[in-house]
Amino acid sequence: MSKSQRWRVCSVPRCPEYTQHGKCDEHRRQAEQQRGSARQRGYGREHETRFRPGVLAKHPTCVCTEHEHGHGQPCGRPTEHADHYPYDRRALVAAGLDPNDPRYGRGLCGPCHSSHTATEQPGGWNR
């Protein structure tokens, strides 16, 4: 059995359930419910028609240079995600800036986007 298939205790303190993921099914459901849908988080039609296409056109390959992700030069893998950068969507809205303007985004591959979300975003997987 590989390491990724091992059973372990849920990552929520005092939960005795075993899982092959970080959280048991019940706690994963609760986290998703609390998180809300993409629309509820502000990712509507303008995000789909203006921000994402603009960022992907600007950065067709991953521009991540974060050493925590294992590289100091642009990653270079094909871009899969339009990531708000250097400020997240909440900070842009709070500053009165347009969060759907592609100049506030960068293109990231799947692994770099997941690593960034897990370590940097409020409510990220490692928080």
Side-chain angles (χ1 to χ4, degrees):
M1 182 181 283
S2 72
K3 185 177 181 179
S4 64
Q5 294 175 332
R6 290 186 186 153
W7 288 88
R8 52 187 155 260
V9 176
C10 174
S11 63
V12 174
R14 294 186 286 282
C15 179
E17 296 295 319
Y18 281 88
T19 180
Q20 291 181 326
H21 311 287
K23 294 179 181 174
C24 67
D25 290 343
E26 179 61 27
H27 285 117
R28 285 170 49 140
R29 263 192 299 281
Q30 288 175 5
E32 279 300 309
Q33 214 170 20
Q34 184 179 14
R35 184 175 182 223
S37 70
R39 296 267 187 224
Q40 290 168 330
R41 293 190 317 268
Y43 297 99
R45 178 163 310 285
E46 199 169 357
H47 173 82
E48 295 170 5
T49 60
R50 197 173 115 207
F51 180 74
R52 181 174 163 72
V55 171
L56 297 183
K58 181 172 71 169
H59 299 137
T61 59
C62 182
V63 298
C64 177
T65 59
E66 298 175 28
H67 292 283
E68 304 86 57
H69 302 172
H71 44 83
Q73 297 178 341
C75 171
R77 287 182 270 203
T79 293
E80 297 175 37
H81 300 275
D83 182 54
H84 285 93
Y85 184 82
Y87 305 106
D88 65 26
R89 182 175 190 81
R90 290 180 201 128
L92 291 168
V93 170
L97 299 171
D98 179 5
N100 293 310
D101 187 334
R103 68 186 155 151
Y104 299 121
R106 65 179 177 171
L108 296 180
C109 66
C112 288
H113 184 260
S114 292
S115 293
H116 173 73
T117 301
T119 57
E120 302 295 327
Q121 294 297 308
W125 301 303
N126 291 337
R127 293 184 181 244

